[in-house]
Amino acid sequence: MNLAALNDIAEKMVTPGKGILAADESSGTIKKRFDAIGVESTETNRRDYRELLFRSTEAMRDYISGVILYEETLYQDAADGTPLVKLIADAGAVPGIKVDKGTKPLPGFPDETITEGLDGLPERLAKDFERGARFAKWRAVIDIGSGIPTAGAVKANAHALARYARICQEAQIVPIVEPEVLMDGSHDIARCDEVTRFVLQTVFQELFEQRVALEGIVLKPNMVVCGKKCQSTATVDECAHRTIAALKATVPSAVPGIAYLSGGQSDEEATAHLNAMNRIGGFPWKMTFSYGRALQAAPQKAWAGRPENVAAAQRAFTHRARMNALASLGKWEDSLETALAA
């Protein structure tokens, strides 16, 4: 393992003023998103849509540091025969690959899941590295509900994350470590805070035990927010302060950077929370975004599967990328969002 090289990639992924585009939707997930805009989810349509993102010159050059790809996309060529991974690298961004195989029910733990995908991972990573991937992503899913999460389920998912991370580093690939506490429930922000802290503490203990070099990872956590069904609400500032406090208490300073997931927040909510945290400052890591839907909802709607809408979709993508890039520097404003969207 060449830790210096891994650290170089990790640092590039959290370059100030840039963030990570999560374009790794599974075939099932992107079908749902295409269904919403009336587009058939064929291989060609998926390629054309992702190609328009990667050919958004301003966004990719100025605001995107890395792109998480689905396996299909990593090995796909653009319409002119150029590998899509080359379009990303030529724009100056780091190509990455989602390597987990999704969640399955965890035996013995009702309503809880475990992420699979460790079998054959070293061989897959070697092939992905040869194709151009320099980082990977694995998502563990922790739900909040009546009696959950349990310590056993959290530990099982944290252990799998740590095993994945060490395997990645052995393959000279930077692991994105993503323990997501879902915001789907009715829990309040205090409960999310409590669970987030416990999950992160458990994850870093497992990373330590599996001898993962923290200087060669990027953490992708949830923000501390209320559940979608919660009767009460929390302000942007409360979410920002609680998130920073939770991470300060659990995340070692050796980690180069944190790239937050949006977790089902609206475009503007995800941007506002990231901006508020960076304005507060006082943390040892770089903090940026690793957004999927929060970057892509607007361009998907603008595109709607029509070639004549490509330019409009690219403008929408560039706008959302720029807003989040500003938020990663603490320089986003509501007024700026409104003015530039007009």
Side-chain angles (χ1 to χ4, degrees):
M1 178 177 67
N2 183 339
L3 182 54
L6 289 172
N7 180 254
D8 284 346
I9 294 295
E11 291 285 356
K12 187 173 182 180
M13 291 165 64
V14 292
T15 298
K18 293 187 176 185
I20 299 167
L21 166 63
D24 60 329
E25 303 87 358
S26 66
S27 299
T29 298
I30 201 165
K31 181 181 185 304
K32 292 177 184 177
R33 295 182 181 175
F34 277 14
D35 286 347
I37 57 172
V39 175
E40 186 181 1
S41 183
T42 64
E43 183 179 351
T44 298
N45 283 339
R46 293 191 296 270
R47 178 205 67 194
D48 289 348
Y49 167 65
R50 284 162 171 159
E51 181 177 349
L52 81 81
L53 295 178
F54 306 154
R55 288 193 186 275
S56 299
T57 304
E58 180 184 351
M60 293 295 296
R61 180 193 63 217
D62 296 341
Y63 310 126
I64 300 298
S65 59
V67 183
I68 311 171
L69 300 171
Y70 191 53
E71 185 177 22
E72 174 187 73
T73 315
L74 180 66
Y75 292 92
Q76 216 167 25
D77 292 339
D80 66 0
T82 305
L84 292 178
V85 69
K86 186 175 187 301
L87 295 182
I88 296 166
D90 286 351
V94 182
I97 177 69
K98 172 187 175 180
V99 296
D100 71 69
K101 297 298 183 180
T103 60
K104 301 290 183 183
L106 181 59
F109 293 82
D111 301 321
E112 296 185 280
T113 62
I114 186 72
T115 302
E116 298 185 337
L118 291 175
D119 289 347
L121 182 56
E123 293 78 15
R124 286 189 281 131
L125 288 173
K127 182 182 175 186
D128 296 340
F129 185 91
E130 185 177 354
R131 179 67 174 179
R134 292 298 177 266
F135 72 90
K137 192 201 84 164
W138 177 290
R139 175 176 176 253
V141 179
I142 307 297
D143 206 352
I144 299 178
S146 178
I148 61 172
T150 61
V154 171
K155 185 174 178 61
N157 276 284
H159 180 75
L161 266 174
R163 290 289 302 120
Y164 139 83
R166 182 63 201 193
I167 293 169
C168 283
Q169 291 186 335
E170 291 292 330
Q172 210 52 44
I173 284 180
V174 171
I176 287 183
V177 175
E178 181 179 0
E180 179 178 3
V181 176
L182 298 179
M183 59 179 291
D184 295 340
S186 58
H187 55 277
D188 62 14
I189 193 168
R191 177 62 174 152
C192 180
D193 193 340
E194 176 187 30
V195 172
T196 298
R197 287 172 183 251
F198 175 62
V199 168
L200 289 173
Q201 287 169 350
T202 308
V203 165
F204 279 97
Q205 180 61 36
E206 290 290 334
L207 290 171
F208 172 76
E209 291 181 6
Q210 294 302 317
R211 302 180 179 180
V212 174
L214 299 186
E215 298 86 351
I217 74 168
V218 170
L219 180 67
K220 182 174 178 176
N222 55 282
M223 299 178 192
V224 176
V225 296
C226 296
K228 290 180 182 178
K229 301 173 186 176
C230 182
Q231 296 301 308
S232 61
T233 57
T235 65
V236 168
D237 283 344
E238 182 181 3
C239 293
H241 278 96
R242 279 187 176 269
T243 302
I244 290 174
L247 269 65
K248 276 187 172 181
T250 56
V251 180
S253 60
V255 175
I258 294 168
Y260 288 97
L261 56 90
S262 53
Q265 300 176 65
S266 71
D267 300 3
E268 291 77 13
E269 284 174 335
T271 305
H273 286 142
L274 178 64
N275 183 70
M277 287 187 286
N278 279 293
R279 282 197 172 174
I280 293 167
F283 36 79
W285 341 268
K286 299 180 181 71
M287 291 207 312
T288 188
F289 58 90
S290 178
Y291 293 166
R293 195 210 55 76
L295 283 175
Q296 295 188 59
Q300 284 173 4
K301 183 177 180 181
W303 173 60
R306 299 174 184 171
E308 63 269 24
N309 292 342
V310 166
Q314 290 176 328
R315 287 194 297 272
F317 173 52
T318 300
H319 174 70
R320 288 262 45 93
R322 183 184 178 195
M323 292 301 98
N324 286 295
L326 288 170
S328 74
L329 299 171
K331 296 181 178 180
W332 175 82
E333 297 281 357
D334 278 316
S335 56
L336 181 63
E337 176 88 50
T338 303
L340 291 178

